[in-house]
Amino acid sequence: MPYANVNGVNLYYEDHGPKTGPTVILTPGGRNDTHGLRPIAALLSAQCRVILHDRRNCGKSDIVIGGELSEQHHWGEEMADLLLQLDAAPAYAVGGSAGSRTSLTMTVRRPEVVKGVFIWEVSGGPNSAAATSPNYYGQFIDAARSGGMKAVAETEYFAQRIVDNPANEAKLLAMDPAEFISVMSRWQDSYSLPNPVSDLTEDQLKSIRCPVLMFEGNTPDEVHHVSAAEAAHRLIPNSELRPSAWTHEEWDIVGQHDHTFPGIAATNRYHMKATFYAAQLLEFIARVEAMEPAAVA
């Protein structure tokens, strides 16, 4: 399996499509792994170089609970350095939900590696954080307090990280529970700040200069409420906002917790949305590429 060591963190990645085409780096929602975005990657890879990767603490990548930044900002920094290591920058940062936040974070922190941003189901605001913070951080803090690192390793989420990458077991069990709780609590606090998009401030969003195309969340869903995308659109100078690709009925049927595409066989709705986003993204890339100055012969 391909891994890249990025600042001491082993990140699982996949590299698809022609190296000569525009580069797209796809980031899934939640703490999901690369699997859910393979349908859209397959649709893009005929024309684009497509990078899939598991963020730290996700999928097959290393568990690393530490560092000075928030978890989201570590994700953005490591994603930028992965692109540079693969000689794949600048790229189009693409993703939904947590993938939208990570794409924007990389763009804020490392604008030189981003050519454009294409995101859906933008999440943010206090209601979103209140709904998802227990799943991201609270449950693991509680487990460490009640049963130490063994209890954390036995949670459904971290048990799967060990299955996906057996080396993670020793790393997790070697952690001091107090340090684990301290870092996770700090990350939870950053994640829960009353900013438009998680721990990205208004000034940071205003600093984005590349083209950004975003799709609203579905209004009844507090995690991806339309107001988050509206706030981001208001603050990001060169941004375009489009309606959600999902109807309210589709949103209720498919489930509001997974904003990737878990597989064509799962439901025709996912295939339709992957096809929709791929077509919209290719049109967006064509527009941005057309804005590039012609190369001097």
mmCIF file of all heavy atoms in Angstrom, residues 80 87 110 137 139 152 211:
data_model
loop_
_atom_site.group_PDB
_atom_site.id
_atom_site.type_symbol
_atom_site.label_atom_id
_atom_site.label_comp_id
_atom_site.label_asym_id
_atom_site.label_seq_id
_atom_site.Cartn_x
_atom_site.Cartn_y
_atom_site.Cartn_z
ATOM 1 N N ALA A 80 -1.332 19.678 2.203
ATOM 2 C CA ALA A 80 -0.498 20.527 1.352
ATOM 3 C C ALA A 80 0.878 19.906 1.147
ATOM 4 O O ALA A 80 1.404 19.867 0.026
ATOM 5 C CB ALA A 80 -0.363 21.916 1.977
ATOM 6 N N ASP A 87 4.689 15.984 -6.018
ATOM 7 C CA ASP A 87 4.848 16.890 -7.159
ATOM 8 C C ASP A 87 3.501 17.085 -7.855
ATOM 9 O O ASP A 87 3.398 17.007 -9.077
ATOM 10 C CB ASP A 87 5.882 16.353 -8.141
ATOM 11 C CG ASP A 87 6.349 17.406 -9.146
ATOM 12 O OD1 ASP A 87 6.225 18.612 -8.829
ATOM 13 O OD2 ASP A 87 6.810 17.030 -10.239
ATOM 14 N N ARG A 110 -2.134 27.407 3.124
ATOM 15 C CA ARG A 110 -1.123 27.145 2.095
ATOM 16 C C ARG A 110 -1.669 27.503 0.703
ATOM 17 O O ARG A 110 -1.838 26.630 -0.160
ATOM 18 C CB ARG A 110 -0.721 25.668 2.153
ATOM 19 C CG ARG A 110 -0.231 25.208 3.530
ATOM 20 C CD ARG A 110 1.150 25.747 3.867
ATOM 21 N NE ARG A 110 2.133 25.170 2.987
ATOM 22 C CZ ARG A 110 2.702 23.970 3.198
ATOM 23 N NH1 ARG A 110 2.377 23.248 4.249
ATOM 24 N NH2 ARG A 110 3.603 23.506 2.361
ATOM 25 N N TYR A 137 -14.838 14.063 19.236
ATOM 26 C CA TYR A 137 -13.920 14.163 20.364
ATOM 27 C C TYR A 137 -14.483 13.674 21.698
ATOM 28 O O TYR A 137 -13.803 12.954 22.431
ATOM 29 C CB TYR A 137 -13.448 15.624 20.518
ATOM 30 C CG TYR A 137 -12.787 16.144 19.274
ATOM 31 C CD1 TYR A 137 -13.416 17.081 18.452
ATOM 32 C CD2 TYR A 137 -11.534 15.675 18.887
ATOM 33 C CE1 TYR A 137 -12.811 17.535 17.287
ATOM 34 C CE2 TYR A 137 -10.922 16.128 17.732
ATOM 35 C CZ TYR A 137 -11.558 17.057 16.930
ATOM 36 O OH TYR A 137 -10.958 17.484 15.777
ATOM 37 N N GLN A 139 -16.650 11.448 22.840
ATOM 38 C CA GLN A 139 -16.747 10.028 23.182
ATOM 39 C C GLN A 139 -15.378 9.446 23.527
ATOM 40 O O GLN A 139 -15.256 8.565 24.386
ATOM 41 C CB GLN A 139 -17.385 9.234 22.046
ATOM 42 C CG GLN A 139 -16.608 9.242 20.744
ATOM 43 C CD GLN A 139 -17.149 8.236 19.737
ATOM 44 O OE1 GLN A 139 -17.494 7.112 20.093
ATOM 45 N NE2 GLN A 139 -17.236 8.645 18.472
ATOM 46 N N VAL A 152 -10.044 3.465 24.909
ATOM 47 C CA VAL A 152 -10.066 4.225 23.653
ATOM 48 C C VAL A 152 -9.854 3.278 22.471
ATOM 49 O O VAL A 152 -10.567 3.339 21.461
ATOM 50 C CB VAL A 152 -8.989 5.324 23.654
ATOM 51 C CG1 VAL A 152 -8.917 6.014 22.294
ATOM 52 C CG2 VAL A 152 -9.267 6.351 24.751
ATOM 53 N N PRO A 211 -10.458 30.869 -7.075
ATOM 54 C CA PRO A 211 -11.884 30.622 -7.318
ATOM 55 C C PRO A 211 -12.421 29.512 -6.405
ATOM 56 O O PRO A 211 -11.754 28.500 -6.176
ATOM 57 C CB PRO A 211 -11.920 30.197 -8.790
ATOM 58 C CG PRO A 211 -10.651 30.688 -9.378
ATOM 59 C CD PRO A 211 -9.635 30.642 -8.283
#
